[in-house]
Structure formats: C-alpha cells, structure tokens
Amino acid sequence: MNYTINEQQKNIRRAKKNMLLFGMISLSMSFAGLTSAYIISKEREDWLTDFEVPQAFFISLFVIVLSSVTFHLAKAAIKKEANNQGMVLLISTLVLGITFVYLQFLGFSQIIDNGYFFTGSESSITTSFIYLVVLMHLAHIFIALISVVVVIYNHYKLKYIKGKTLGVELAVTFWHFVDILWIYLFFFMYFVR
C-alpha cells in the first residue's frame, strides 16, 4: 500500500482513539458489573439501609467536575498555542485531581469514624461494596493523574504545536470519562440504598 504520511498519521490517530474508547467501554462494563452486584446484594438481610454518603464525597464531586472544566480549558488553550495559560490550567487540573484523591481518603476516614470498616467484624456488605467501588475508581484516577503529568511535561517541552495535540485530546477524554464515572457512582451510592 502506498500511504502518504498524512494518511498514516490519520490512521494512527484513529487507532489510538479507538484503543482508548475500547478501554473506556471495558472499564464501564466492570463498573456496571459491580453496581449490578450491589443492587442484587441489597436484598440481603444484613444490608445497611441507613448508610450515609460521607460529606467529603459531596465535595469531591464538585472538585472533579471543576477539574474537568480546567482540563477542557487547558486543551483549548494548548490548541490556540496559548502556552502560559495552558500550563496554568494543566497545573490547576493536577492540583484538583490530587485534592479529589485526598477527599476520597477523607471520605473513607468519615466512614470509619461512623463505625463502618472494609473487612472484619465491624464491616458490612454495604460498606465493603462502597470501599471496593471507590478504590477501583481511585485506581483509574491515579492513571488519569499520570496522564496529566505526562501532558504537563510534554507541554513544557513544547511538543503540542502546529495541531499535534493528540496526547492532550486522549488525556482529556480519559479524564472526562473518570469524571463522568464518579458522578455516576456518587449518585448511584446516594440514591440506591
């Protein structure tokens, strides 16, 4: 086959975007399985119906939505080659992401302060599910934070110039995905008791 360089670049872009999409669909299916198991387990006699979502999780919802906004604005600034503005927004996204992680662990401590544990005699199936779902989401947040650090590094090295912003686009898409995933999980935990 006789591809031009431009066609090859388009094919590579499409392949990378499709790989990310496949990964996000797979992750969505994992969380769908967990939330389905959560719904089925609600029928157990030892299910906690009075469990309250920690206050820190409410704040973390706001923080992660704000981080999606800053990352989206960073992508727009980078595409316009407004490098300083892009860097400020990227660092803001990273700080908000780290704040989100802190709030998740604060939420865990609030759950423990209320006498609910992940395992042991003080644990329940309800809290075990919540710990599992939140920890699994946090694992993906850590991956997203790594992608933000990579984007910051590449932006600092001025690698996103002349329309070559695929790395930023993929990172922003994944960040929005984990953001939407947390919104879903938060409202799921809040309303499905």
Side-chain angles (χ1 to χ4, degrees), residues 70 74 84-98 148 152:
T70 59
N84 290 337
Q85 181 185 11
M87 186 59 79
V88 167
L89 289 163
L90 287 173
I91 291 170
S92 299
T93 303
L94 181 64
V95 169
L96 288 167
I98 292 168
V148 173
I152 288 171

Side-chain angles (χ1 to χ4, degrees), residues 3-31:
Y3 287 115
T4 65
I5 292 174
N6 197 20
E7 289 172 337
Q8 287 175 337
Q9 288 175 344
K10 284 182 183 177
N11 288 338
I12 290 170
R13 282 180 66 89
R14 188 178 317 114
K16 288 182 178 181
K17 287 183 176 184
N18 285 339
M19 286 173 49
L20 178 61
L21 181 62
F22 176 77
M24 291 186 313
I25 290 169
S26 299
L27 292 173
S28 297
M29 291 172 66
S30 298
F31 280 98

